[in-house]
C-alpha cells in the first residue's frame, strides 16, 4: 500500500500506478532518462500536472537532466509495494466477474485473484479459470483461510450491503466496489467505487460539451 503518500492529493495517488506502468515501458525500450514532457506525451497528461505530482513525492528529478528511469522505477516500486504480494478475492462471478477471473491482473505480478465466490458454486468449491471458487456461505471462512486483504465486489445491487456487512467481520482492508450501491463500511476498511453507468454518462456529457 501507499505508506509514504498519505498526505498527497487523492487525484495524484490515482495516477501513481499509471506512472509506474509507463516507466516500465520506457525501461523496456532501453531509455535511461526522461523529461516530464516525454511522460506527458506518452500518458496524455499535461507536463505541469506531472511535475506537480512528482513535487508531492519529493525531489525525484534534476533541473536540466530530467528523471532517471531506474531511480523512478525503484521509487514507485517501493511506494506502491510492488515487491509485496496482495491477495485478492472476487465476489460475484457474473459477466463482469468472469472477465476479471480471465484477466486476473496478468500485468501486475504482485496482485492476483486467488479465490472467488458465486451463488452457483458448490460449498465444497470448484475451479473457474484455475481459481478456487466457493458458494458465498463460505465467505468468512475462506477470506481468513486465504489471507485476503482486498475484495472485488461484483454482486447484484440487492446483495451489496449484505455481503459488505459480512466482509466487515473479516480482516480485509479494502473493497473495490463495482455495484451502484454506496456501501457502508467500518473506518478500517477503504472503499473505491467504480460505477460504470456513471462513468459512461460522464463521458457522454463531456462529448456533448465539446
Amino acid at each position: 500500500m501507499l505508506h509514504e503518500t498519505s498526505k498527497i492529493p487523492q487525484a495524484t495517488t490515482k495516477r501513481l500506478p499509471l506512472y509506474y506502468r509507463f516507466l516500465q515501458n520506457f525501461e523496456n525500450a532501453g531509455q535511461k532518462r526522461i523529461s516530464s514532457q516525454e511522460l506527458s506525451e506518452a500518458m496524455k497528461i499535461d507536463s505541469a500536472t506531472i511535475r506537480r505530482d512528482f513535487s508531492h513525492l519529493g525531489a525525484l528529478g534534476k533541473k536540466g537532466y530530467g528523471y532517471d528511469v531506474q531511480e523512478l522505477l525503484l521509487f514507485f516500486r517501493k511506494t506502491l509495494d510492488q515487491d509485496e504480494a496482495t491477495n485478492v478475492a472476487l465476489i460475484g462471478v457474473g459477466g463482469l466477474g468472469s472477465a476479471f477471473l480471465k484477466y486476473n491482473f496478468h500485468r501486475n505480478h504482485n496482485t492476483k485473484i486467488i479465490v472467488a465466490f458465486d451463488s452457483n458454486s458448490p460449498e465444497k468449491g470448484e475451479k473457474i479459470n484455475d481459481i478456487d471458487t466457493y458458494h458465498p456461505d463460505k465467505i468468512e471462512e475462506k477470506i481468513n483461510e486465504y489471507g485476503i486483504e482486498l475484495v472485488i465486489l461484483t454482486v447484484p445491487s440487492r446483495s451489496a450491503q449484505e455481503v459488505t456487512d459480512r466482509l466487515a467481520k473479516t480482516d480485509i482492508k479494502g473493497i473495490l466496489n463495482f455495484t451502484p450501491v454506496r456501501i457502508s463500511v467500518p473506518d478500517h476498511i477503504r472503499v473505491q467505487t467504480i460505477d460504470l453507468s456513471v462513468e459512461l454518462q460522464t463521458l457522454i456529457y463531456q462529448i456533448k460539451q465539446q
Side-chain angles (χ1 to χ4, degrees):
M1 298 300 159
L2 304 179
H3 299 307
E4 301 178 16
T5 58
S6 59
K7 296 181 181 180
I8 71 175
Q10 185 176 10
T12 298
T13 65
K14 288 184 177 181
R15 285 189 286 269
L16 298 186
L18 285 176
Y19 289 133
Y20 184 70
R21 178 178 296 178
F22 277 89
L23 286 165
Q24 286 179 307
N25 293 340
F26 280 112
E27 181 190 42
N28 292 337
Q31 193 156 341
K32 301 298 183 183
R33 64 178 181 177
I34 54 170
S35 66
S36 57
Q37 185 60 40
E38 287 175 298
L39 263 179
S40 171
E41 292 173 359
M43 298 179 64
K44 310 302 180 188
I45 299 174
D46 67 271
S47 56
T49 296
I50 292 173
R51 289 193 296 271
R52 185 167 59 250
D53 284 349
F54 283 13
S55 71
H56 290 300
L57 304 172
L60 300 181
K62 299 176 183 177
K63 190 174 182 180
Y65 178 86
Y67 303 98
D68 184 284
V69 172
Q70 276 291 335
E71 288 182 4
L72 279 181
L73 274 174
L74 289 172
F75 175 84
F76 282 111
R77 184 177 293 124
K78 180 180 179 182
T79 301
L80 296 168
D81 276 352
Q82 288 296 303
D83 296 320
E84 182 176 336
T86 300
N87 295 330
V88 180
L90 173 76
I91 303 181
V93 189
L96 181 58
S98 294
F100 272 120
L101 287 188
K102 291 177 182 177
Y103 169 63
N104 203 6
F105 306 99
H106 64 275
R107 294 189 64 175
N108 296 351
H109 71 277
N110 71 322
T111 305
K112 287 287 185 294
I113 298 171
I114 62 172
V115 66
F117 302 90
D118 189 75
S119 57
N120 291 321
S121 294
E123 287 195 14
K124 65 179 181 179
E126 62 179 339
K127 290 280 189 180
I128 299 180
N129 293 111
D130 291 325
I131 304 298
D132 293 336
T133 307
Y134 300 91
H135 190 274
D137 287 348
K138 294 287 187 178
I139 284 177
E140 291 88 346
E141 174 188 340
K142 297 300 180 181
I143 288 288
N144 291 326
E145 178 182 323
Y146 283 81
I148 299 300
E149 296 181 68
L150 301 178
V151 170
I152 300 173
L153 195 61
T154 56
V155 300
S157 299
R158 64 181 180 276
S159 305
Q161 188 59 55
E162 177 186 351
V163 171
T164 299
D165 290 342
R166 294 175 61 189
L167 291 171
K169 299 175 183 177
T170 69
D171 295 328
I172 69 163
K173 298 176 181 177
I175 298 173
L176 185 59
N177 174 32
F178 278 91
T179 79
V181 177
R182 292 302 184 257
I183 55 177
S184 299
V185 296
D187 292 340
H188 68 277
I189 297 178
R190 299 294 299 270
V191 175
Q192 182 75 36
T193 296
I194 301 176
D195 189 328
L196 297 179
S197 63
V198 170
E199 297 295 334
L200 180 59
Q201 289 299 316
T202 300
L203 179 59
I204 291 172
Y205 174 79
Q206 291 172 342
I207 291 172
K208 290 182 177 180
Q209 298 305 306
Q210 290 180 342

